[in-house]
Amino acid sequence: MEDARAERGNFIWDFVQEDIDAGRTQQVHTRLPPEPNGWLHIGHAKNIYVNAGTAVRFGGLCNLRFDDTNPAKEEQEFVDGIMGDIRWLGYDWNGGLFFGSSYFDKCYELAEKLIRDGLAYVCDLSQEDLRRTRGTLTQPGQNSPYRDRSVEENLDLFRRMRAGEFPNGARVLRAKIDMASPNINMRDPALYRILHMPHHQTGDKWCIYPMYDFAHPIQDAIEGITHSMCSLEYEDHRPLYNWVVEVCEFPNHPRQIEYARLNLTRTIMSKRYLRRLVEEGRVSGWDDPRMPTLAGMRRRGYRPEGIRDFIERAGVAKADSVVDLALLEHCIRENLGEVAPRAMAVLRPLKVTITNWPEGKTDALPLENHPARPEMGTHEARFGRTLYIEQEDFMENPPGKFFRMKPGGEVRLKGAYIVRCDECVKDANGNVIEVRCTADLSSRSGSEGADRKVKGTLHWVNAADAAPFEARLYEPLLNDEEAIAEEVEGEEAVPDKKDFIARLNPDSLTVLTGCMAEPWLTEAKDGDVFQFLRLGYFCKDKDGFVFNRTVELKDSFKKAVK
RNA sequence: UGGGGUGUAGCCAAGCGGUAAGGCCCGGGACUUUGACUCCCGUAUUCGCAGGUUCGAGCCCUGCCACCCCAGCCA
């Protein structure tokens, strides 16, 4: 069954298979081309799945190549973080680690070749003039007055661009294609721009940098990439991609294949805005548990297997889509449910006194770490006269079908005894502060009398052993479009969604204080995840615990106790 | 009113001329030492719309409609 799912293909694999069958592809070779201008988010996980995953599927190679052709936006911090995240997700770059910037010499050389071949020219038009002469969506552009410069003049100018003789923006190297092309990307696109700025890899060696459209196909071709997967917005760039590969006369011609990027409901997936959240201090960093970054999800306790499963189940296609967050949560829950040890803790303690249990006596009870996986062993819970249960697990005047603790009712305390609630004690304000119960001593779990059925089972902790803890409950970073629309600056009738201000759910962070039964929990390592029965998952984090309320109760129960 | 794409259930998504896979969500039931988990069962007479071809169309043809992307010296 696992195999059936793993074998389920996608349209990209069909293309690759066709190329293999037709003999066009010997060994599949793909690449991951992250731009080091931010940390990876869940959307990048799809790109990794598509590219690295395709290499895995066909027993091929995958390179990691940082697409760092624009020093203005890129930083070393991000290249380190990205490598860690890719590894964490479970992928690697068996084809090698590369930097786009290490091809700057080759790009330059090819640019000169294009000039000599009459396929590129130095254009002196200002940015504004260039924009104006490019034409519009419906009108063709006009040839640049510099379009027919001689090869010698172009070469001279281009070399002087490289030598740093001109200021930023003074000139640009353009491909000589067709200003009347209906595809605007083919209207003599810029190949090189002047940018006097040090680069995190090449320092101040260069003051001209190749554009993505020029550099990317060159990098792919040089590295022997057979299939280059990218998102839909590059479809219009494919003719240019092919043009570059052809005019540079590479023997290898990679095939660019586009797919729809991942969108998730209520989730901000724009690096630009995630970056803004970090820079404005609205979150603690790229790894804030509210962020949709891989680092943030890792801190929330999401496991890479769950994320991979999600990406795979969401599918790869060309239709624009927005995947329901519920699918991600389902995959995470399913994965965590399989691997997380069970543990008991109480978030909002309510004191319970077992009146027929002697003061000072404790009973050590074995609890399974995982009900479906006995090999995970057991741990010990100590039962005593004074316990804590969840405040929400007691109701003095419950509606029907309330299976938890109520006056006169019986419930089982998980792994221990069936207890009957005799009375509750209230404070001056009428709040219930203590519940007094009688235990059925013959009903100890595992004993003869234990098979008596009661409808409800509750988790609990022994007051004497309970260790207080704090956990942060985060809701994911939500992008509530209606609420956000109110915050849009300006008064545009139809604000561009790119102008929406990312904002945090005001209730997105709550600090919970509770009691945990098992001291071993506090000794857990960072990243360890535990399922707290019925409540959700805790992940040990560098700053304490992060709590995910991923277990939802059925509506039928919610209605019953409403 | 240019070009490139995409439209199959509430959300994803298979389908490649032979009579609509699967997952999530939702509903019902069984089970249950947590109402979770697990497990069954159910959920598109119909594939953006309209014609046409065919014994037969989600798949082919024609026309229309809707949505997304492109006018950075970003990627």
Side-chain angles (χ1 to χ4, degrees):
Chain A
M1 54 184 185
E2 194 67 34
D3 290 333
R5 196 158 70 202
E7 273 309 305
R8 192 186 60 197
N10 58 54
F11 80 99
I12 291 174
W13 291 0
D14 292 343
F15 284 175
V16 174
Q17 190 61 55
E18 281 168 22
D19 289 339
I20 292 171
D21 293 343
R24 289 186 292 269
T25 298
Q26 275 22 279
Q27 182 179 39
V28 174
H29 203 328
T30 62
R31 106 264 94 115
L32 296 172
E35 185 188 10
N37 66 343
W39 287 66
L40 263 23
H41 56 60
I42 183 76
H44 295 106
K46 179 172 182 177
N47 184 265
I48 294 169
Y49 168 74
V50 168
N51 281 291
T54 295
V56 171
R57 165 67 180 74
F58 290 96
L61 300 171
C62 180
N63 297 357
L64 171 60
R65 184 175 68 235
F66 286 97
D67 209 340
D68 56 355
T69 51
N70 184 358
K73 299 171 21 182
E74 298 151 5
E75 296 169 33
Q76 183 64 39
E77 168 204 344
F78 299 132
V79 341
D80 298 334
I82 287 169
M83 289 197 284
D85 284 346
I86 294 172
R87 285 214 170 91
W88 177 75
L89 235 204
Y91 292 94
D92 63 5
W93 39 96
N94 58 355
L97 170 65
F98 304 88
F99 288 86
S101 51
S102 53
Y103 301 107
F104 283 169
D105 285 319
K106 190 65 184 174
C107 286
Y108 180 83
E109 188 184 303
L110 286 164
E112 284 208 353
K113 169 187 161 50
L114 260 49
I115 292 173
R116 284 193 301 274
D117 292 346
L119 293 168
Y121 61 97
V122 173
C123 182
D124 302 357
L125 250 25
S126 68
Q127 198 160 164
E128 301 75 63
D129 286 339
L130 204 150
R131 187 194 326 126
R132 197 170 55 247
T133 55
R134 185 155 24 225
T136 68
L137 295 179
T138 53
Q139 293 174 308
Q142 302 150 17
N143 283 170
S144 162
Y146 306 100
R147 198 171 200 262
D148 295 314
R149 286 218 250 234
S150 68
V151 168
E152 293 66 34
E153 188 182 3
N154 278 320
L155 234 30
D156 173 60
L157 253 15
F158 188 52
R159 286 171 181 165
R160 286 164 61 192
M161 278 169 65
R162 177 191 190 176
E165 289 189 29
F166 311 117
N168 289 354
R171 283 176 230 264
V172 68
L173 181 73
R174 290 226 261 167
K176 191 187 285 188
I177 305 180
D178 178 10
M179 289 306 291
S181 172
N183 181 344
I184 293 179
N185 295 298
M186 298 299 269
R187 316 235 265 229
D188 290 9
L191 264 25
Y192 259 96
R193 79 283 216 174
I194 300 171
L195 207 55
H196 291 272
M197 178 173 281
H199 185 284
H200 62 95
Q201 292 291 324
T202 61
D204 52 12
K205 177 178 176 185
W206 297 90
C207 62
I208 57 172
Y209 293 95
M211 302 292 292
Y212 167 88
D213 282 321
F214 186 54
H216 204 84
I218 289 172
Q219 297 158 359
D220 280 353
I222 292 174
E223 292 178 10
I225 301 305
T226 57
H227 300 272
S228 182
M229 276 67 83
C230 59
S231 47
L232 250 26
E233 67 263 31
Y234 292 101
E235 275 182 314
D236 288 342
H237 295 248
R238 193 180 344 128
L240 180 52
Y241 181 100
N242 291 335
W243 183 88
V244 171
V245 173
E246 271 156 35
V247 299
C248 290
E249 299 176 82
F250 283 110
N252 171 47
H253 196 137
R255 184 186 348 185
Q256 174 177 302
I257 303 172
E258 310 84 8
Y259 64 90
R261 61 172 1 131
L262 176 70
N263 293 297
L264 256 187
T265 55
R266 303 192 306 165
T267 303
I268 296 165
M269 211 78 94
S270 152
K271 229 194 259 184
R272 180 182 154 197
Y273 286 95
L274 295 179
R275 186 181 181 123
R276 192 167 146 190
L277 288 170
V278 174
E279 287 170 354
E280 290 176 1
R282 303 178 74 144
V283 293
S284 62
W286 287 92
D287 64 348
D288 186 290
R290 287 164 292 186
M291 295 283 272
T293 52
L294 295 179
M297 291 183 171
R298 180 165 58 233
R299 284 188 66 188
R300 298 195 87 202
Y302 289 16
R303 310 299 310 144
E305 302 79 40
I307 293 175
R308 275 189 261 125
D309 185 40
F310 162 70
I311 298 295
E312 213 170 302
R313 291 214 228 178
V316 180
K318 292 193 73 166
D320 290 311
S321 61
V322 184
V323 179
D324 197 325
L325 201 52
L327 180 60
L328 203 215
E329 291 176 339
H330 169 85
C331 294
I332 296 303
R333 223 169 17 234
E334 187 173 81
N335 170 244
L336 257 24
E338 285 170 13
V339 303
R342 285 357 40 156
M344 292 201 292
V346 168
L347 262 28
R348 301 165 136 282
L350 173 63
K351 183 179 175 184
V352 172
T353 301
I354 309 298
T355 53
N356 62 334
W357 193 271
E359 196 83 52
K361 177 186 176 188
T362 55
D363 192 0
L365 301 154
L367 283 175
E368 303 169 293
N369 285 332
H370 191 118
R373 300 178 61 183
E375 76 276 12
M376 285 176 70
T378 60
H379 62 275
E380 189 179 87
R382 286 149 62 84
F383 187 89
R385 180 180 167 88
T386 306
L387 312 170
Y388 293 122
I389 63 167
E390 216 59 66
Q391 281 176 23
E392 68 174 42
D393 283 344
F394 173 82
M395 283 186 91
E396 188 180 8
N397 298 300
K401 296 206 170 184
F402 182 79
F403 306 148
R404 304 184 197 173
M405 192 176 283
K406 58 190 173 189
E410 282 192 321
V411 293
R412 174 173 289 283
L413 295 177
K414 171 77 176 176
Y417 300 85
I418 292 173
V419 300
R420 171 185 307 281
C421 172
D422 302 313
E423 59 177 327
C424 59
V425 181
K426 297 179 186 175
D427 65 12
N429 299 320
N431 300 314
V432 176
I433 54 169
E434 181 188 345
V435 177
R436 298 175 71 79
C437 300
T438 310
D440 172 355
L441 272 5
S442 70
S443 66
R444 185 186 200 266
S445 286
S447 71
E448 287 287 314
D451 55 350
R452 187 155 72 83
K453 302 288 185 218
V454 290
K455 204 58 173 150
T457 301
L458 305 182
H459 54 273
W460 53 275
V461 298
N462 185 29
D465 299 315
F469 71 97
E470 268 193 2
R472 288 155 297 134
L473 167 63
Y474 290 101
E475 296 298 338
L477 189 53
L478 299 182
N479 186 355
D480 178 341
E481 295 216 357
E482 276 184 34
I484 289 165
E486 296 166 11
E487 294 187 18
V488 174
E489 296 166 44
E491 298 190 2
E492 296 167 51
V494 184
D496 187 297
K497 63 171 180 272
K498 287 177 183 165
D499 291 330
F500 283 10
I501 296 171
R503 71 167 212 173
L504 298 177
N505 178 333
D507 303 319
S508 61
L509 172 60
T510 310
V511 176
L512 301 166
T513 304
C515 301
M516 58 174 64
E518 295 90 348
W520 52 278
L521 280 182
T522 59
E523 293 161 13
K525 298 193 297 291
D526 280 6
D528 283 350
V529 186
F530 305 93
Q531 184 187 113
F532 278 9
L533 293 167
R534 202 189 65 225
L535 299 173
Y537 294 91
F538 268 70
C539 179
K540 183 75 189 300
D541 181 55
K542 61 186 180 188
D543 298 328
F545 287 94
V546 175
F547 178 55
N548 286 301
R549 189 180 285 281
T550 53
V551 175
E552 287 296 330
L553 293 174
K554 286 241 168 102
D555 284 345
S556 56
F557 171 74
K558 291 178 188 165
K559 284 173 201 152
V561 299
K562 73 172 184 306

